[in-house]
Amino acid sequence: MGSAAPLLDVQGVTIQYKTSAQLVTATWRVGFQADRSDRLVLLGPSGCGKSTLLKAIGGYLTPTEGEITLSGRTISGPGPDRVMVFQETDQLLPWKTVLQNVAFALTASGRASGQNADEQAMIAIRTVKLEKFADSYPHTLSGGMKQRVAIARCLAMQPEIVLMDEPFAALDALTRQQMQEELLELWSRSQFTLIFVTHSIEEAILLGNRIVLLSPHPGQVKEIMDVNLDDPGNRFHGRFDELRDTIHRVLFKDVGDYVI
Amino acid sequence: MSFEKSAAITRDLSGISREATAFRSHGQPTDQAISEIVRPLSRAEKIWNQAIVRKSLILVLLAIAWQVYAQQLNNPLMFPTFTDTTAALWNAFTKGELGSRVLVSLRILLSGYGIGVLLATVLAALANATRPGNDLLEVLTAMFNPLPPIALLPLALLWFGLGNGSITFVLVHAVLWPVALSTHSGFASISGTIRMVGRNYGLTGLRYLLHILIPAAFPAILTGLKNGWAFAWRTLIAAELVFGVSSGSGGIGWFIYENKNQLEIAYVFAGLLTVIAIGVTMDSLFRLVERRTINRWGMKF
Ligand SMILES: Nc1ncnc2c1ncn2[C@@H]1O[C@H](COP(=O)(O)OP(=O)(O)OP(=O)(O)O)[C@@H](O)[C@H]1O
Ligand SMILES: [Mg+2]
């Protein structure tokens, strides 16, 4: 295909969970695209299938209908070209120190080896300002610090696409703001492609240049908005409130009908 | 009596509260008051706080009681004294063959243990990867775990004859099921996130097993290894007692049995002490591993 083809293409994706008792449709014919260096945010209420979509992009789930392609190739399984930062705080390997966790990600995925891996890992750890804790084990870190290690590990691997599932949800407001700023700073340095899941409207506007709004269970695309604020991360941008109101209206359209 | 005690406690408490009020009335605590509250322990107290010191003392007391009782009994055929036993232990190691007997036992134990652990790992890995493997492991452990290994000895003798083969077979049986069971439950309890992280790195097959599954399940695996060891050790001694005479080189169990037949009861006691000592050593070895691994990683349940 030509150069206009998107990096990530999600086409009509339906994902169902089969449990022993029932079949749950988590998302229904969802489609969106992300170009290189996009910061695409999946925004929607709890249970609308955001994590499910992210896991499908990560290759952990296979759609029952539709297709997800990366640079034109169908995603068939997990791989180090799409690194995931999970919502859960137990994503670090507890038997490895902070440095070992990051370095192991590099060696296991074949990105670097030996001394080289350690050096690259240390650079990534420095960018999240945790060099003092390089030799600490994860259980001695706070939730926010663990999340930062996970982000460092993800960035060290220099994946084509960074997948983040509500990585800041467990943090206090102050740390969250700090982390959002750090993430944007990191992005402006290396311009990776980011798929970011959240259910906070503010976070979506702050971080995203493109926002996919999803309806409640089962998740369907309600609208795709291009944000393109000239300075992402600015809470006091003139269009911030306007965008928030628009998103609010779209998300709660059906719920709010009776008000009229 | 108990009333008196509680009255004393009340008096103590009132003393404390009086002190506390005095404290408050001064506004600032004096240095003297602090040195009363935070007092470094004396050397004697520090030594007493070491568990090993207190436990050693118990051992010494037990040895003295043993010595006194045995001397009064004065029947070395039934109950030799502590000193006779230590002398026998010394003799058996320096002049006799207890050392080589210990080696024989440990060698068989290690080969049985190694084979058992290996088989258990393979079985648990299969169970983790496939549904039939899972069912197989569950059926097999449900069947064989309740079966005492020593009960298989007659059959083992029939199949493998009088010798190390039979003992190894029984040992494998003693180790395999408990280790497979706990490794299996360890694998099953690994969080989905950790699994996904491992697959995100592109790890599959053996590398996934070695780098993700085994360390993540290590607390449960270590418990299994410990239980398997204890099981195997008991089984080995029992099996040797029954028939350790293979090709002239029996283990500790056979050493005990032989000396009982020759009415060298002090040597029987020496053999038993050796069995205990090896058991205790292995136990502390496992505890060391535990401290170095799951305690340090914060993975202890
Ligand atoms: N393993 C599973 N088995 C069965 N159903 C599942 C499973 N995981 C998710 N679901 C269902 O799929 C739907 C979407 O779940 P998902 O976790 O993707 O939601 P989410 O948008 O990430 O929600 P949240 O914001 O709360 O994290 C839910 O209705 C949930 O019940
Ligand atoms: Mg989720």
Side-chain angles (χ1 to χ4, degrees):
Chain A
M1 277 206 194
S3 61
L7 177 67
L8 177 76
D9 197 356
V10 177
Q11 308 157 40
V13 164
T14 300
I15 303 170
Q16 291 172 327
Y17 287 104
K18 220 177 276 177
T19 66
S20 51
Q22 55 191 359
L23 191 82
V24 181
T25 303
T27 68
W28 179 251
R29 295 191 176 157
V30 171
F32 56 84
Q33 300 176 333
D35 298 318
R36 204 167 288 281
S37 298
D38 259 348
R39 302 185 310 277
L40 183 129
V41 174
L42 296 174
L43 175 65
S46 183
C48 74
K50 305 182 294 292
S51 299
T52 304
L53 273 171
L54 208 63
K55 280 174 191 159
I57 298 172
Y60 305 106
L61 295 173
T62 319
T64 38
E65 189 189 2
E67 200 180 31
I68 306 175
T69 60
L70 183 66
S71 312
R73 259 174 318 202
T74 306
I75 287 173
S76 58
D81 54 342
R82 289 148 285 142
V83 178
M84 188 110 150
V85 176
F86 294 88
Q87 188 171 352
E88 294 80 4
T89 48
D90 68 337
Q91 61 187 304
L92 301 179
L93 309 181
W95 58 92
K96 291 185 184 297
T97 63
V98 168
L99 179 65
Q100 287 166 351
N101 254 288
V102 181
F104 178 68
L106 295 173
T107 51
S109 60
R111 303 261 147 160
S113 59
Q115 187 85 36
N116 204 354
D118 280 355
E119 278 162 19
Q120 287 181 35
M122 208 56 214
I123 292 171
I125 291 168
R126 252 181 234 118
T127 60
V128 295
K129 304 184 180 68
L130 281 176
E131 60 270 26
K132 273 192 204 138
F133 297 90
D135 294 324
S136 303
Y137 282 94
H139 73 105
T140 64
L141 304 180
S142 74
M145 288 154 86
K146 282 185 210 165
Q147 217 60 317
R148 269 146 71 194
V149 177
I151 292 171
R153 175 172 72 179
C154 162
L155 296 175
M157 290 173 79
Q158 300 182 323
E160 249 182 298
I161 298 190
V162 171
L163 307 170
M164 292 189 167
D165 192 354
E166 305 192 37
F168 311 144
L171 309 183
D172 63 283
L174 202 69
T175 316
R176 185 182 315 145
Q177 191 174 328
Q178 215 175 320
M179 292 294 298
Q180 288 165 343
E181 282 160 13
E182 258 174 52
L183 180 64
L184 281 173
E185 197 190 306
L186 290 169
W187 177 85
S188 66
R189 246 184 276 164
S190 41
Q191 306 264 316
F192 47 85
T193 309
L194 173 68
I195 314 291
F196 192 98
V197 163
T198 182
H199 54 220
S200 154
I201 297 178
E202 279 81 7
E203 191 167 65
I205 304 171
L206 277 175
L207 296 179
N209 72 327
R210 184 178 288 180
I211 303 178
V212 178
L213 300 180
L214 295 165
S215 69
H217 184 75
Q220 284 168 278
V221 175
K222 282 206 157 178
E223 201 168 317
I224 297 177
M225 299 173 67
D226 281 315
V227 179
N228 287 327
L229 293 182
D230 37 23
D231 56 338
N234 181 1
R235 263 156 245 273
F236 306 106
H237 195 283
R239 281 183 58 210
F240 194 94
D241 288 342
E242 175 203 323
L243 277 167
R244 189 175 52 198
D245 290 347
T246 315
I247 293 174
H248 210 274
R249 220 173 309 119
V250 173
L251 282 182
F252 295 98
K253 194 165 55 191
D254 311 322
V255 190
D257 274 349
Y258 72 94
V259 179
I260 309 166
Chain B
M1 166 105 168
S2 73
F3 172 74
E4 248 176 54
K5 215 185 237 168
S6 72
I9 288 169
T10 328
R11 229 178 296 123
D12 272 1
L13 285 175
S14 67
I16 287 170
S17 69
R18 218 181 305 120
E19 256 176 28
T21 35
F23 212 73
R24 213 170 290 125
S25 67
H26 279 284
Q28 285 287 317
T30 63
D31 284 350
Q32 207 175 8
I34 285 176
S35 73
E36 278 299 318
I37 293 165
V38 187
R39 181 174 55 82
L41 296 179
S42 71
R43 178 168 295 178
E45 278 172 311
K46 269 187 199 160
I47 290 174
W48 188 242
N49 275 345
Q50 297 278 318
I52 190 153
V53 175
R54 298 196 306 272
K55 286 179 186 168
S56 305
L57 186 72
I58 291 179
L59 285 181
V60 170
L61 289 177
L62 280 178
I64 291 173
W66 175 358
Q67 182 72 12
V68 169
Y69 177 70
Q71 259 172 358
Q72 268 181 355
L73 197 65
N74 195 20
N75 186 354
L77 271 184
M78 281 297 182
F79 202 80
T81 61
F82 173 70
T83 42
D84 282 353
T85 305
T86 11
L89 192 63
W90 176 253
N91 274 336
F93 264 111
T94 51
K95 298 187 198 108
E97 73 253 324
L98 188 53
S100 61
R101 293 299 178 83
V102 167
L103 285 183
V104 167
S105 285
L106 287 182
R107 201 170 303 138
I108 300 183
L109 183 74
L110 279 183
S111 63
Y113 193 67
I115 296 171
V117 169
L118 209 69
L119 286 178
T121 311
V122 171
L123 208 58
L126 267 179
N128 177 67
T130 65
R131 180 121 67 134
N134 186 64
D135 296 344
L136 179 71
L137 183 138
E138 279 174 9
V139 169
L140 288 182
T141 48
M143 268 169 57
F144 290 123
N145 205 33
L147 188 65
I150 205 76
L152 283 179
L153 199 52
L155 209 55
L157 285 173
L158 189 66
W159 290 345
F160 302 100
L162 207 63
N164 290 349
S166 296
I167 299 193
T168 310
F169 175 79
V170 175
L171 284 183
V172 168
H173 178 78
V175 174
L176 174 54
W177 308 116
V179 174
L181 206 60
S182 55
T183 305
H184 178 55
S185 69
F187 285 170
S189 68
I190 298 173
S191 81
T193 319
I194 291 288
R195 286 172 184 272
M196 285 194 272
V197 166
R199 288 169 62 203
N200 203 161
Y201 298 161
L203 294 176
T204 49
L206 195 61
R207 297 212 306 149
Y208 183 63
L209 178 73
L210 290 179
H211 290 294
I212 303 292
L213 292 185
I214 289 182
F218 201 64
I221 292 178
L222 194 61
T223 308
L225 289 177
K226 218 163 35 177
N227 290 342
W229 157 264
F231 234 45
W233 183 233
R234 285 165 177 73
T235 305
L236 172 68
I237 301 301
E240 283 180 349
L241 275 173
V242 178
F243 81 127
V245 67
S246 67
S247 58
S249 63
I252 309 177
W254 185 246
F255 175 88
I256 293 170
Y257 191 71
E258 228 174 20
N259 280 293
K260 185 237 141 196
N261 282 349
Q262 292 160 15
L263 296 179
E264 295 278 10
I265 306 304
Y267 284 84
V268 172
F269 272 61
L272 291 177
L273 280 187
T274 311
V275 172
I276 292 176
I278 292 173
V280 170
T281 308
M282 281 311 292
D283 215 50
S284 29
L285 212 67
F286 272 113
R287 228 170 292 162
L288 183 74
V289 172
E290 201 171 87
R291 265 206 307 279
R292 290 275 165 89
T293 56
I294 57 181
N295 282 16
R296 181 183 293 179
W297 305 335
M299 287 172 85
K300 193 155 175 142
F301 299 129

